[in-house]
Amino acid sequence: MTDWTHCLRVKGPGVKQLPFDSLYRHGFARVALAVPTIRVADPAFNAEHTLQLARQAAADGAVLTVFPELGLSSYTADDLFHQDALDDAVQAALERVIAESAEIDSVLLVGAPVRSQGRLFNCGIAIDRGRVLGATPKSYLPNYREFYEKRQFAAAREALDDHITIAGQRVPFGSDLLFEASNLDGFVFHLEICEDGWVPVTPSAFAALAGATVLVNLSASNIVVGKADYRRQLCASHSARFMAAYLYSAAGHGESTTDMAWDGQALVCENGDILAEGERFTDHPQLVTADLDLRRLTADRLRMTSFADNVHDHRDRLTRLRRVPVELPVPAEAVPLRREIPRFPYVPANPAVRNERCAEVHHIQVEGLSTRLAATGSKRVVIGVSGGLDSTLALIVAVKTMDRLGLPRANVLAYTMPGFATSKRTLEDAHRLMRALGVSAHEIDIRPSATQMLRDLEHPAADGVPQYDIAYENVQAGERTSHLFRLANQHEAIVIGTGDLSELALGWCTFGVGDHMAHYSVNASVPKTLIKYLIAWTIDTDELGPQAGAVLSSILTTEISPELIPAADGDDDAPGQSSEATVGPYELQDFHLYFLLRFGYLPSRIAYLAQHAWSDRTRGRWPDLIPVADRHEYDLPTIKHWLAQFLRRFVQTSQFKRSTLPNAPKVGSGGSLSPRGDWRAPSDAVATAWLAELERNVPDR
């Protein structure tokens, strides 16, 4: 077995001992791309500028700093690469960078020509505080159009030994090296050089399958028209296919323009997204940093079974890759996260993207209901309309489904069913909406039948006693649903469920004969925060007309309420009961839901992300439809409180409701809670582990 002990260092504080406010404690890592100004064939000058940027990156908390291909010599040295004087100067420059890196707390990846085994290799060299971790030679040498690299260099496959000596240190050599952090879970990086990333099967593909999460490309890459866009697509695509970060740093100002030009493009991509990009065509050095989300990458790989199958298919090659341990120079002090965490993970802040998302969700809902009606042979639907958000969206979907099927909107049998706590505002809005949409509008007062059931139960409320317990609430919810199902029987229709993803996550629905049940649901994987925007999008498109737009605007500003308990002051003009006072702010609980359901993160990490997203209303982007007065912020104790409530309800008390859900279409990658789709869980689990981790690792401040 190869001895890698020369690469190990004395460990500093463990990740769990880092401050709560440090990004490194929560599975993030800051990386830097450095594009220095260089001189052709002047290694001493290039080493000086390399070290300047390296120190800046380390001071900024970056544990990895990437430089361009052949950055110590310059890429455009051509036949000068075979000159002994240049080789001596490169060796001296490399020795200086290695020596001075002892005081630089960042792993440096520098490009240099390396003579070994009687050949010259174009290498990326990993340097960690005075030690050389390894060197990766370029695998694929372009020798077409303006490129002529085979004239000067040998490819990785031509190496005769898997070790070489650099600055007196014998180190691993090859394109098969994985550098694995011993003190930061999920940080495994791999090097490839420029053209290696342009071939059909890249070296980084095998590295990713073997566990590399940070794929690094040291590049030169001259610029021609259209090439920058292609690089963006290429790097983003690599990061998406490999479920990895892809770091790309290209040569810039100072390279020879005898026959080519250079733009110094620097890109950090992660799982298909471009996190950061430097300025092109600058005449000054630049440093581009980004905070990678390692836990997101590992979470996605863990769940994607086809990724594991792909690993198995290439296991013979993957087991031959060599692992080089490295302790990253993780700062002991808090390093604040600079990456933007969207407040609304289900709702894009960009209006154009949001409109596309809303249109897509709407079409999925309509497609789902249209297909279900065709399968059942039904031409009518029955729906309860409360004047609230959920039933409003479901009614819109039902109407648009009839339009699509060429059926009259009158085939939507809509019923508003006032109970003991229905407010004048919601009842009026329900009637206005039904009229505006042209559906068959009806009202059934459930108070007589609900009173009879309370009387049958010998419940004190039947005699006017203000005992507003769960039985009192659920009698009303059950009466509404019972009526809807019998109406569906009578009219050969199906009942459309209106409940949303947020309510299902929190168990905020009446089980069985209640709003939990329907023949088909259309909102079951749409969170409350997105429902608001789907309604707002409907207003903006004006497809339903100005009369509908006016009532939809009123509904958007109504307090979210089950309207099952009368207002304490007897005022019935507006809802007297607040859902969010019981289950928490939906905007915050939807945030918690997304990261727990989509990635399975630790509660402490979710709290950290929520603090970053929600603690300061002036930081980051807001969706433009939220008025300034409604832009809330939450401190860490508030986040911790509501996250605990969410975990208790989601993990421990509500699963039995989700285990028996009616059919509904999944609309987003953020998840569905259908037991036949995304989520299968035991109904009798306890939340002890989640709540204990939250209490143990999130400070009360």
Side-chain angles (χ1 to χ4, degrees):
M1 180 177 290
T2 306
D3 181 11
W4 301 122
T5 55
H6 71 285
C7 298
L8 296 174
R9 301 181 66 88
V10 177
K11 286 192 176 183
V15 170
K16 289 186 177 180
Q17 284 72 50
L18 292 172
F20 181 81
D21 294 336
S22 175
L23 63 91
Y24 287 102
R25 176 166 170 169
H26 301 283
F28 291 93
R30 182 163 299 162
V31 296
L33 301 179
V35 183
T37 298
I38 69 155
R39 288 179 183 168
V40 176
D42 191 349
F45 176 91
N46 299 337
E48 174 63 30
H49 287 75
T50 294
L51 287 166
Q52 288 178 9
L53 288 179
R55 292 188 179 97
Q56 291 178 32
D60 199 30
V63 292
L64 187 73
T65 307
V66 182
F67 292 85
E69 177 184 12
L70 295 173
L72 288 184
S73 58
S74 76
Y75 177 79
T76 48
D78 291 333
D79 285 352
L80 298 180
F81 282 120
H82 287 169
Q83 293 288 312
D84 292 343
L86 181 58
D87 180 61
D88 284 351
V90 167
Q91 290 188 50
L94 188 54
E95 288 173 358
R96 180 189 173 192
V97 170
I98 294 168
E100 295 192 24
S101 72
E103 304 301 323
I104 299 175
D105 286 332
S106 184
V107 175
L108 311 181
L109 306 182
V110 301
V114 175
R115 289 189 185 184
S116 180
Q117 307 161 30
R119 309 302 301 273
L120 183 65
F121 295 93
N122 177 348
C123 291
I125 302 168
I127 302 168
D128 176 28
R129 292 163 289 179
R131 300 170 185 262
V132 180
L133 299 174
T136 296
K138 191 170 185 174
S139 294
Y140 298 97
L141 303 176
N143 226 55
Y144 56 89
R145 298 194 185 99
E146 63 265 42
F147 304 111
Y148 206 4
E149 289 188 27
K150 290 185 178 180
R151 180 180 176 93
Q152 288 92 27
F153 296 104
R157 69 184 69 85
E158 299 177 60
L160 301 176
D161 194 351
D162 62 2
H163 282 70
I164 61 173
T165 299
I166 295 177
Q169 302 179 37
R170 185 160 174 78
V171 300
F173 179 67
S175 60
D176 58 346
L177 302 180
L178 303 180
F179 300 91
E180 186 168 17
S182 60
N183 60 334
L184 191 57
D185 288 346
F187 196 104
V188 182
F189 66 90
H190 171 268
L191 279 62
E192 62 187 11
I193 317 294
C194 200
E195 187 79 3
D196 295 347
W198 294 64
V199 298
V201 182
T202 65
S204 58
F206 296 105
L209 291 175
T213 53
V214 182
L215 310 175
V216 180
N217 189 309
L218 289 73
S219 179
S221 189
N222 65 303
I223 186 61
V224 293
V225 173
K227 195 173 186 180
D229 285 337
Y230 187 80
R231 291 192 201 116
R232 293 185 189 99
Q233 295 172 6
L234 190 68
C235 294
S237 174
H238 283 340
S239 72
R241 288 177 57 218
F242 305 145
M243 286 186 283
Y246 199 86
L247 282 53
Y248 180 91
S249 180
H253 184 68
E255 288 285 359
S256 173
T257 56
T258 299
D259 293 300
M260 293 178 284
W262 312 87
D263 64 338
Q265 190 168 22
L267 293 162
V268 180
C269 301
E270 179 190 281
N271 215 1
D273 297 324
I274 296 178
L275 296 186
E277 181 173 0
E279 183 182 354
R280 298 167 54 227
F281 297 109
T282 65
D283 58 0
H284 56 80
Q286 65 172 318
L287 194 68
V288 178
T289 62
D291 296 342
L292 306 181
D293 191 344
L294 302 172
R295 292 200 183 157
R296 178 190 174 183
L297 299 174
T298 54
D300 279 345
R301 289 185 179 184
L302 180 68
R303 286 159 176 76
M304 190 172 182
T305 55
S306 52
F307 189 91
D309 290 341
N310 205 207
V311 171
H312 181 273
D313 289 347
H314 297 281
R315 61 183 302 179
D316 290 343
R317 175 164 181 167
L318 302 183
T319 55
R320 296 197 299 269
L321 297 183
R322 292 175 287 166
R323 297 179 181 273
V324 181
V326 53
E327 185 187 351
L328 295 175
V330 174
E333 68 278 4
V335 179
L337 184 66
R338 286 205 291 258
R339 175 176 175 140
E340 182 174 355
I341 304 298
R343 291 177 176 84
F344 299 91
Y346 295 103
V347 183
N350 183 297
V353 177
R354 186 175 64 247
N355 289 340
E356 291 177 4
R357 179 78 53 85
C358 288
E360 188 78 354
V361 170
H362 173 76
H363 289 312
I364 292 171
Q365 291 178 289
V366 170
E367 170 66 19
L369 182 54
S370 298
T371 302
R372 178 50 54 95
L373 287 172
T376 61
S378 302
K379 296 184 182 301
R380 299 182 183 86
V381 298
V382 169
I383 184 171
V385 181
S386 68
L389 294 171
D390 294 348
S391 65
T392 294
L393 179 62
L395 182 60
I396 292 170
V397 171
V399 164
K400 297 301 289 184
T401 299
M402 293 301 167
D403 292 349
R404 174 178 173 173
L405 295 175
L407 296 171
R409 290 186 179 184
N411 284 20
V412 178
L413 311 180
Y415 294 83
T416 186
M417 293 177 280
F420 300 128
T422 301
S423 67
K424 293 178 181 177
R425 175 172 180 171
T426 56
L427 182 60
E428 181 180 341
D429 281 348
H431 279 291
R432 291 171 59 205
L433 182 62
M434 292 187 292
R435 288 196 301 270
L437 296 182
V439 301
S440 296
H442 308 273
E443 178 180 323
I444 297 176
D445 187 343
I446 66 163
R447 287 173 292 185
S449 58
T451 300
Q452 181 60 52
M453 179 171 282
L454 289 169
R455 184 169 291 113
D456 293 342
L457 297 175
E458 298 183 355
H459 192 284
D463 298 319
V465 178
Q467 182 172 315
Y468 304 137
D469 53 17
I470 191 170
Y472 178 87
E473 295 188 64
N474 286 348
V475 159
Q476 297 171 77
E479 280 299 307
R480 289 186 174 115
T481 303
S482 179
H483 277 77
L484 293 175
F485 273 103
R486 302 297 73 80
L487 286 163
N489 295 153
Q490 183 178 351
H491 296 286
E492 298 182 337
I494 65 171
V495 176
I496 303 305
T498 62
D500 63 54
L501 181 69
S502 309
E503 292 179 343
L504 291 172
L506 293 160
W508 195 239
C509 56
T510 300
F511 182 73
V513 184
D515 54 327
H516 164 265
M517 192 48 60
H519 287 123
Y520 192 74
S521 294
V522 293
N523 295 339
S525 66
V526 186
K528 189 78 76 176
T529 47
L530 182 55
I531 283 178
K532 288 186 175 183
Y533 285 90
L534 286 163
I535 294 173
W537 170 78
T538 302
I539 298 171
D540 288 345
T541 59
D542 199 30
E543 288 187 20
L544 300 176
Q547 187 178 356
V551 65
L552 292 177
S553 297
S554 174
I555 291 169
L556 279 177
T557 58
T558 302
E559 173 78 37
I560 299 173
S561 172
E563 292 198 308
L564 297 172
I565 296 176
D569 58 6
D571 183 6
D572 64 353
D573 288 336
Q577 188 181 9
S578 170
S579 296
E580 292 179 298
T582 301
V583 299
Y586 278 115
E587 59 190 10
L588 194 56
Q589 299 296 44
D590 278 359
F591 185 95
H592 297 154
L593 170 63
Y594 178 82
F595 288 105
L596 188 77
L597 182 61
R598 176 71 172 79
F599 301 108
Y601 288 157
L602 287 172
S604 60
R605 187 174 209 253
I606 297 174
Y608 172 75
L609 296 175
Q611 180 191 36
H612 186 74
W614 285 99
S615 63
D616 183 354
R617 65 169 61 91
T618 66
R619 184 173 60 211
R621 294 173 293 175
W622 285 86
D624 56 340
L625 297 177
I626 298 182
V628 174
D630 293 336
R631 296 181 179 182
H632 307 132
E633 63 183 26
Y634 304 97
D635 59 18
L636 188 58
T638 302
I639 290 167
K640 184 177 181 180
H641 168 77
W642 287 120
L643 179 53
Q645 291 278 66
F646 174 83
L647 294 169
R648 189 175 294 107
R649 298 184 71 100
F650 182 84
V651 177
Q652 185 163 314
T653 67
S654 305
Q655 179 57 39
F656 76 98
K657 297 181 180 181
R658 299 189 289 267
S659 295
T660 56
L661 287 178
N663 293 173
K666 178 181 176 180
V667 303
S669 61
S672 160
L673 290 173
S674 167
R676 300 165 299 276
D678 270 8
W679 186 251
R680 297 162 180 82
S683 296
D684 46 9
V686 295
T688 305
W690 287 261
L691 294 171
E693 197 281 334
L694 178 71
E695 182 60 34
R696 184 172 61 250
N697 292 323
V698 178
D700 295 311
R701 59 169 175 80

